[in-house]
Amino acid sequence: MPDAFTVLWTHDVCRALRRAGRVGERPPVAFSGVHSSLPAWSRAQAGDEVYALHVNRREVFVVSRMRVIDRERHGCCGTAPATWEDPAYPGHHDWSMLGAEGCGADAVHVDATPVRFDTPISGDLLARLTWRNRRGQTRQLKYVVDGRLENSVSLQGFYRLTPESSAELADVTASAVSSR
């Protein structure tokens, strides 16, 4: 059974998506990195789902649900850079705000839902969301007060959801997609 993960997209990333007119479009790629400037998608395999989340005014939104296709460099990525001055993924320039220029960036090809900023996670669900680490230990979000997220630090990174939480986020995104 595939795993599901969450990744936090910052205000800068989401602002860049809006400025570039990417709202309503499906990202074909996201980027993983070896440095803390980008989340490391190293545990994600083909078929896994990744929920891109955004926090705005203490409310958490699902921006896109991405199913990992592969983590290989393909022709769509463009020519690999010959020098440090060359763009890392010129073929994905339209989506570079997702981390193409990050330190040690690697392309992760995805099949994604359209980018949107109007799919909130309810306060009840936010308080129930649970992640598990490789040792099977689980944790919930810290700093949830009255259904709102007071501090996003426990969302920063790339974390594996429990199957139950994955199913609940899938329901949130499915109802958002069907309401369009």
Side-chain angles (χ1 to χ4, degrees), residues 23-87:
V23 176
E25 295 184 19
R26 298 172 183 265
V29 67
F31 296 92
S32 171
V34 296
H35 185 267
S36 62
S37 62
L38 279 177
W41 293 40
S42 56
R43 295 183 314 260
Q45 305 294 319
D48 287 347
E49 293 195 339
V50 179
Y51 294 89
L53 306 179
H54 177 61
V55 180
N56 189 10
R57 296 188 176 105
R58 300 180 358 219
E59 193 170 12
V60 181
F61 295 85
V62 178
V63 179
S64 182
R65 182 183 71 213
M66 301 171 279
R67 183 166 292 117
V68 175
I69 296 171
D70 66 37
R71 301 187 54 200
E72 304 296 320
R73 185 178 189 104
H74 295 289
C76 62
C77 297
T79 306
T83 72
W84 65 271
E85 295 172 318
D86 296 337

Side-chain angles (χ1 to χ4, degrees), residues 110-180:
V110 296
D111 177 24
T113 61
V115 168
R116 53 189 298 169
F117 296 98
D118 61 351
T119 308
I121 297 175
S122 72
D124 291 341
L125 176 54
L126 196 59
R128 285 194 313 270
L129 283 178
T130 307
W131 290 262
R132 67 179 164 83
N133 64 20
R134 289 183 232 191
R135 294 181 295 246
Q137 297 168 322
T138 61
R139 72 167 179 89
Q140 292 179 304
L141 280 177
K142 295 178 182 179
Y143 313 111
V144 176
V145 177
D146 297 328
R148 297 177 68 81
L149 189 64
E150 298 292 322
N151 188 326
S152 64
V153 69
S154 57
L155 273 180
Q156 295 171 1
F158 190 83
Y159 299 111
R160 179 180 285 119
L161 288 161
T162 62
E164 298 80 15
S165 289
S166 172
E168 290 193 89
L169 280 181
D171 289 345
V172 168
T173 57
S175 64
V177 169
S178 67
S179 69
R180 285 195 110 193

